[in-house]
Amino acid sequence: MAPGGPLGQAALTWGGRTDPAERKLRNERGLHADVSLWLLAATLLVPLPILRIAFVEQRVGLALSLAPHVPFLAWMAWLASRRRAFYVQHREVLCVTNMVLVNIMVRFAGQGGTNYFYQHKGSPARLAGLLLMTGHAVWSLFFPLYHRLPLGWSAAAASLSAFVPLAFGRSLCHRLVVVPGVHAPLADLYSVLSVAHNIVAAPGSMALAASPGSPLQQCLALDAYFLVGLGCVLPLALLAALQAHERSLAHRSRQAAAAAAAAASGAAPEPQQAAPPQFALDIEASPLVHHCQRVRRVCVDQGQLIFYEQRHQPGGGREPDPLPEIIIHPTRLYFFPWTAGTKSDSSDRIDGDSPGDGSGTSSGDEDWGDEKDGAEIAGAGRTGGGAGAVQRQLLHQQPRRAAYETHAPGEHFRRRRLLPMPTRPASALEPTPYLAQPAFSTCTVPVVLYPIFAENFAHLFHDAASFLHSLLRRTPWRAHARVVAFTPDGLAMTQPEAQLLPVLSNMSVVSWADFSRRLPPDYNPQADRQLSPASWEGDEQRCFDSLFICGRRFKPDRPLELGMPGSEEEEQARLRTAVPRENYGFGQEVVRWYQRQGLVPLPPKPAAAAVASIGGSSRQLKVLFMRRDSGGRQLLNAEALVRSCNAWRYQLPAGGEVSADCRQVELPNLEAGIAAAQEADVFIGMHGANMANSYLMRPGSSTIEITPYEFGKMKGVFGPCTQNAQDASSRLLWWSAVVCDASLSTPGPEEAAGREPSRWWPRDRSSRVPWAVLQTILEEIVQVAGDRQRYLAGYFVPSRHRFHFTAQGVVSRGDQPLCSGA
C-alpha cells in the first residue's frame, strides 16, 4: 500500500524511489527547513516587494494581484508544522507547486514601476547581475538545492519553475531595451556568451549566432540561456553530485560502523539481528498507519523509548539524524489523582463525569465541550526528544504542572496534559544485555494509546477505546497487537481503562510504566507464562520492530452525510483520513467479552421494544431509570416517574397492549452497567457519562437522555445522539428530552456555592420531568418498534427525536426550540 494515495504513489514513481520508508524519512528530514523557508517568505521575502510596489511605485493593482501569495505561503508553513503527516506524504507536489507560484510572482513583480536596468553604468558584468536579480533564474536554482527533492522531482521543479512563469506578463527585455546606453554593454555580454557557447558546444550542434538582428533578440537569448543553464542544468548537476557524495559517505559510514563493532569495546552497540521471524506481518495493511505514529526498531526501558536505527548514530563524519518527534494532540488530558488535601471530584464509577470538562473535549461529530479551553488550561504545544526536552517544556510552558501546585477552589488544579514519552538513541552503556544486543520482535506490535480523561468512562469509551477498536478490527494482524495505556508519571491505569481496554487485545493490557519496566537480570522467559500473555511469544518483550503511538486526535467518519454504505474502495479511501465511529459495535464487543469471562450473565431475549408494535398480544417493556451518585444532575422526581411508568398502559393500533416494568438502578461498575443494559428495553438518564451504558444495550433498544435547563444552548451537548446516528454499527435508538422551564430546574453544587466557571453551571443542574413527556416518548418508541432505519429517516434526520418540554409537557420538537431554555 503506497502512502499518501495517488499523489504519494506518483511521488514514489516520479522520484525514482521504490521504498516508501526511505521517501518518508527524506521528507521528514526536510520538514523543519521547509517551515523556516515558508515563514521567512511569508513574513519578509514576499511582503516587502509587495509593499514597495504598492507604496513606493504606486502600483496598487499589481500589489493586490500579488498579495494572495502571502496567505498561501503562511498556509504552507502551517501545513508543514501542524499537519505534518499530510505534508510529509505530499511534500514533493506541494514544494513544486510553491516554487512555480513564487517564480510567477517574481515575474509579475518585475513589471513594477522601477526599471533597475538604468543602473547598468555601461558595464556588461553589471548588466548580467541586473538580469539575474530582476529575473527568476536565480530562484529556479535556489529552490531545488534548498528542498533537495529526488532528481526526478528536482528536474520537474527546475523546469516548471523556470519556464511556466514565461507565460505570464511581458519579458524583462522589453524594459531593458528602452534604457539609454544599454545596447553596447548588451552586445558585449551577448558576444561573451556566444563565444563561450560555441567553445563548449559539441561539433555539429546548433551554434549561437555572433550578431543577432536586434538588442531585443540579444536580451531574449541571454535570458533563455540563464534560465536553461543557471535555472535547470546547474541545480540538477549539483544535486546529482551531492547525492553521489551522500551515497559514498553512507557506504563509508557502514564500513566504519562494522569495523568498530568488530574491533574495540566502547563503541555504540550494533543491534543484533533477530532470529528469522515467525511472522512477516503486513504492517502497512492496517489503518493504524494513517491515524497513529509508527516508530521502528525501538526498545522500551523505565518509561523511555530507545531508538536503535543506525541513522541516529554518528559515523563517517556525519551528524546523527534527530529522533522522531512524538506527536501528542493537546486534547490528550487527564486529572491528577490527589490523595490528600483535595476532594476527589472525578469518580471512577461508571456514572462519574470529569469536573469542569463539560463532558467535553470529545473528538466527536458534535464536541461535548470546549476543546480549546481544555488545551489552554493544560498547556498547548508539542514536544519531543529526550527527558531534558520534556523537562524544559514543563518548566517553560507549564510551571504549575512542574511544581504540582494546588490552586484555589474552582480552578482546574487537577487538569493536566499528557506529554510525549521521553526518547533517546541507543548508547554504548546500555544497562542490560537485552538492551545492549536487542532482538526486535516481529511477532508483537505494541499500540500505545494516549486517552482523553481516562478516569471518565464515557470519554475513554467513545473518544479512545471505540476508535481503537474500529481500527484494530480492520487490521489483518490484530492478534499480534498489544494495547498499552499511557499513564503519566508512572501511575496505574484508571478503573475505566482496566475495565475497557482488555477487550481490545488477546494479550495483557498494562500501563506504560509496567510495559516499560526493566526486567530483572535473572528473568526467565520459560517460566513466565501468564494467563493473558504479555506478547505473542508469551513472555515479556522489550524490543520491537514496529510500535504505534496513538496520540493524535481521531477524526470520525460521517456516514450519514456521505451516503454510506459505499463500496469497499470508497471505505478504504476514507480510512486514510477518518475513523469509522463504532461506539455501539465496541459496546457489543465489551458485552461479549465479559460474558466469555463469566463476569455477567448470558444475554436474554431480544429487546421487547423491537417487537412491541407487531400486535396480537400484550408486551411489557423493561424501563430502567439510571440513578447518579454525584451531587448534581439528579432526576428529582424519579420515584414518582417510576410509579407512573409502572401504571402506564398503551393500546397498540393492531391490537394488544404494552405495559412497563420500571425501576431505578445504580451502576457502580461496568459489570453492573452491562447487566442493567442487557436487561433494559429503555434506559432513561440525565446527560453525562452514565449515558455511555446505552452502547451496551441489546439491538432495537432505546435510550432517553434528559438535558438540564439551558445546557442545551452549549456546543456539542447533543453529541452522543449525533454520534450514535453516525455509527454504522449501531442498532440503538437515541432520544433527547430538553428541559425548557426554569421552574423544573434546581442549581447544581457549584452553582449553589457560586463557584466559577459559571458557564458550566447549567450542566450540573438537577431536573424534574413531567410524566406526560416520558409517556409521549415511550409511545413513539413503541411505534418505531426498534426499526433503526425508520428512526433515522423519520426522527433523527428531521430532528423529531428531540423533545423540548416545560411543566405543561412537550412544547416543540426539532432543532429550533420554541422555548428559551434550550
Side-chain angles (χ1 to χ4, degrees), residues 13 27 37 55 246 248 322 368 418 446 457 492 500 528 549 552 588 627 676 708 731-732 774 812:
T13 304
N27 287 345
L37 178 62
F55 296 104
E246 288 177 350
S248 176
W368 281 25
L418 290 174
F457 176 78
L500 291 175
D528 187 10
I549 303 168
R552 302 169 183 169
Q588 300 307 295
R627 182 162 52 198
R731 298 298 178 267
L732 175 69
L774 295 184
S812 68

Side-chain angles (χ1 to χ4, degrees), residues 378-581:
R382 288 181 289 193
T383 184
V390 174
Q391 184 64 21
R392 288 192 296 273
Q393 177 81 356
L394 288 176
L395 295 176
H396 178 64
Q397 293 190 6
Q398 302 187 70
R400 289 182 175 179
R401 186 190 190 286
Y404 282 98
E405 296 174 355
T406 57
H407 305 160
E411 294 187 17
H412 291 282
F413 60 92
R414 297 176 59 230
R415 178 180 287 182
R416 310 185 188 282
R417 185 191 158 205
L418 290 174
L419 297 175
M421 70 275 289
T423 61
R424 68 170 176 86
S427 76
L429 298 176
E430 295 299 340
T432 67
Y434 68 81
L435 292 176
Q437 297 292 331
F440 299 103
S441 171
T442 59
C443 302
T444 301
V445 182
V447 180
V448 183
L449 177 65
Y450 271 73
I452 172 173
F453 294 130
E455 65 284 333
N456 181 280
F457 176 78
H459 276 305
L460 182 70
F461 191 106
H462 64 66
D463 286 339
S466 70
F467 278 125
L468 189 55
H469 169 263
S470 181
L471 294 172
L472 286 174
R473 82 175 190 88
R474 291 169 171 81
T475 297
W477 42 266
R478 176 181 180 178
H480 296 263
R482 185 186 187 187
V483 176
V484 178
F486 185 87
T487 57
D489 307 315
L491 300 177
M493 290 193 296
T494 63
Q495 181 179 344
E497 286 176 312
Q499 292 174 332
L500 291 175
L501 298 186
V503 178
L504 299 173
S505 177
N506 295 328
M507 306 174 201
S508 60
V509 175
V510 295
S511 68
W512 172 253
D514 290 337
F515 173 70
S516 61
R517 65 180 173 84
R518 185 173 297 172
L519 298 178
D522 58 350
Y523 174 71
N524 182 7
Q526 300 302 322
D528 187 10
R529 289 294 183 266
Q530 307 170 28
L531 183 62
S532 295
S535 66
W536 177 267
E537 295 87 341
D539 58 341
E540 293 284 354
Q541 298 288 319
R542 290 295 181 267
C543 299
F544 307 93
D545 184 71
S546 290
L547 180 146
F548 284 93
I549 303 168
C550 297
R552 302 169 183 169
R553 186 185 186 195
F554 293 115
K555 178 184 177 182
D557 201 0
R558 300 172 185 267
L560 277 183
E561 300 170 16
L562 299 175
M564 284 180 60
S567 65
E568 183 178 351
E569 292 77 12
E570 291 173 339
E571 181 182 3
Q572 291 299 320
R574 285 196 303 272
L575 272 175
R576 298 177 185 275
T577 57
V579 184
R581 181 182 289 285

Side-chain angles (χ1 to χ4, degrees), residues 131-152:
L131 274 171
L132 292 175
M133 183 186 73
T134 55
H136 59 275
V138 173
W139 294 107
S140 298
L141 166 67
F142 168 76
F143 281 128
L145 293 177
Y146 186 89
H147 291 297
R148 301 284 295 276
L149 303 178
L151 279 179

Side-chain angles (χ1 to χ4, degrees), residues 651-726:
Q651 300 300 320
L652 294 172
E657 182 182 75
V658 176
S659 60
D661 179 10
C662 315
R663 73 176 194 274
Q664 293 190 75
V665 292
E666 290 189 356
L667 308 176
N669 51 47
L670 182 55
E671 289 87 344
I674 293 174
Q678 288 290 293
E679 178 188 2
D681 299 308
V682 180
F683 255 160
I684 300 176
M686 297 293 294
H687 171 89
N690 57 311
M691 297 305 298
N693 292 293
S694 304
Y695 303 126
L696 310 173
M697 301 178 75
R698 290 165 292 152
S701 301
S702 288
T703 189
I704 303 174
E705 178 187 20
I706 301 169
T707 301
Y709 177 66
E710 292 188 324
F711 191 44
K713 295 179 178 179
M714 303 190 69
K715 175 187 176 184
V717 170
F718 303 108
C721 184
T722 303
Q723 293 170 10
N724 178 69
Q726 299 286 1

Side-chain angles (χ1 to χ4, degrees), residues 587-649:
Q588 300 307 295
E589 184 69 25
V590 170
V591 172
R592 289 189 293 269
W593 190 89
Y594 272 77
Q595 289 170 346
R596 288 195 301 268
Q597 304 300 317
L599 300 175
V600 295
L602 292 176
K605 61 183 180 180
V611 296
S613 67
I614 296 177
S617 62
S618 297
R619 306 286 180 180
Q620 187 178 63
L621 296 180
K622 285 282 188 178
V623 181
L624 300 186
F625 291 77
M626 288 182 280
R627 182 162 52 198
R628 298 174 58 91
D629 69 334
S630 58
R633 271 181 279 179
Q634 298 295 324
L635 188 54
L636 299 174
N637 61 332
E639 293 182 359
L641 290 174
V642 169
R643 290 193 297 270
S644 299
C645 181
N646 282 316
W648 172 66
R649 300 291 184 272

Side-chain angles (χ1 to χ4, degrees), residues 261-280:
S265 61
E270 181 71 20
Q272 175 180 318
Q273 296 296 324
Q278 298 177 359
F279 294 92

